[in-house]
Amino acid sequence: MSLVERKIEALPFVLAELNYLAPIASKPRTYAFDPPPGEPKSTALPEPHRVPVFNGRPIATSFSLDREGFALVRHPTFVRDFTNEKEIRSVYYPAAEAFIRATLRADRVVIFDHTVRKRVAGAADVRDGGPRQPATRVHVDQTVTSGANRVREHLGDEADALLRGRVQVINLWRPIIGPLRDSPLAMCDGTTVAPEDLVASDLIYPNRNGETYSVTYNPAHRWFYFPEMTVDEALLLKCYDSATDGRTRFGPHTAFVDPTTPADAPPRESIELRTLVFHYD
């Protein structure tokens, strides 16, 4: 066992149930709206597995987007009301764009959307009309196809030139209230993910089709979380990287039920920004 592995095995952990993709013969598909009559909302069925999720705080500075596919960062914000769409776009967007550009030494950062989430026990995950529920399946937001398509979708005439350089889709995820104890986010170490673990899955909208990766179980997967995140902390999550030089390109993640969460913990509230990150050289 390597020194790194010994350090990881010595970390505190919780045993948690994570929802992987059950084996399926055809390409999974999920409707982001009420499906046509006779169609299921999703053909992607969960296959729960109980796995250790390690507390990454003791080695937090060891994680990187290029290796594990995620990183914990300090990122205070001046936003006071994350339910105010105008404040998010006028205050949070420019600050987050500048932060990501500086942190990743990027030439350009384009924020293309955001999602506010609040866990409501027993409620459906509705895409319109209010905060979304935490995503409780192991997934990656983009695929090798949809990551590049995001550039074409949002940057039109510039896309071909931009796609000749390195492009990443990076999410900036943070709690809105803290310390966060309810439904934290678990991240899988990208170095433990095999290409065959990632299953391209259709996400069908009323006006377009997207594509995400569902993830099948692999006992080699190694999971981490950062308990009790504060509102001045955030996670950078890699959802796509056009680089094919050996660095992690896709970072599976999921919300999960932490068995140590106090019964009176406030329900999780969070926001994630989705960004295109460009390196021209």
Side-chain angles (χ1 to χ4, degrees):
M1 182 182 293
S2 70
L3 178 60
V4 171
E5 289 171 326
R6 285 200 298 273
K7 285 182 177 178
I8 291 170
E9 293 300 325
L11 292 174
F13 66 91
V14 295
L15 285 174
E17 192 172 86
L18 305 186
N19 290 311
Y20 283 90
L21 173 71
I24 184 172
S26 57
K27 185 179 184 181
R29 70 176 184 276
T30 298
Y31 287 92
F33 59 99
D34 289 336
E39 290 280 339
K41 179 78 171 177
S42 178
T43 62
L45 300 178
E47 182 180 81
H49 286 268
R50 193 170 170 83
V51 302
V53 183
F54 292 96
N55 179 345
R57 284 203 176 273
I59 57 171
T61 58
S62 301
F63 297 109
S64 76
L65 281 172
D66 279 347
R67 189 174 55 250
E68 290 82 13
F70 61 89
L72 179 71
V73 293
R74 179 168 172 77
H75 184 232
T77 176
F78 289 107
V79 176
R80 292 294 170 259
D81 182 5
F82 276 103
T83 67
N84 185 318
E85 191 81 5
K86 182 178 179 181
E87 187 176 3
I88 291 173
R89 292 182 180 275
S90 65
V91 178
Y92 195 48
Y93 270 36
E97 179 186 331
F99 173 79
I100 293 171
R101 190 172 63 248
T103 301
L104 302 187
R105 297 181 174 88
D107 292 299
R108 184 178 177 186
V109 173
V110 176
I111 298 171
F112 60 87
D113 71 11
H114 71 272
T115 298
V116 176
R117 298 184 188 271
K118 180 177 181 179
R119 189 181 68 79
V120 179
D125 184 19
V126 179
R127 290 181 177 267
D128 296 314
R132 299 275 310 278
Q133 292 270 51
T136 56
R137 64 181 184 89
V138 180
H139 69 285
V140 183
D141 292 24
Q142 307 295 334
T143 67
V144 69
T145 298
S146 64
N149 282 344
R150 282 292 186 182
V151 182
R152 299 184 183 98
E153 178 182 352
H154 298 290
L155 292 166
D157 293 342
E158 299 179 76
D160 287 343
L162 290 169
L163 286 167
R164 286 195 284 270
R166 183 187 178 198
V167 181
Q168 298 180 86
V169 179
I170 302 293
N171 285 9
L172 179 70
W173 185 100
R174 73 180 319 123
I176 292 172
I177 59 171
L180 180 75
R181 297 187 176 99
D182 175 70
S183 297
L185 202 65
M187 290 74 61
C188 190
D189 177 351
T191 67
T192 68
V193 179
E196 57 268 24
D197 300 337
L198 304 176
V199 179
S201 306
D202 286 328
L203 185 56
I204 304 172
Y205 296 92
N207 57 345
R208 69 178 183 89
N209 284 5
E211 190 176 66
T212 65
Y213 280 130
S214 302
V215 184
T216 55
Y217 175 69
N218 182 336
H221 290 168
R222 193 157 51 200
W223 288 92
F224 295 92
Y225 79 124
F226 299 100
E228 301 195 0
M229 285 182 63
T230 71
V231 295
D232 286 341
E233 294 180 307
L235 290 165
L236 293 170
L237 308 172
K238 184 180 288 191
C239 298
Y240 167 80
D241 195 334
S242 64
T244 57
D245 55 3
R247 65 187 98 196
T248 287
R249 300 184 68 197
F250 305 99
H253 53 276
T254 180
F256 73 101
V257 176
D258 180 349
T260 68
T261 299
D264 61 350
R268 188 244 266 192
E269 296 184 46
S270 61
I271 183 171
E272 63 227 44
L273 293 186
R274 299 178 182 88
T275 73
L276 294 166
V277 179
F278 298 100
H279 297 267
Y280 296 154
D281 294 334

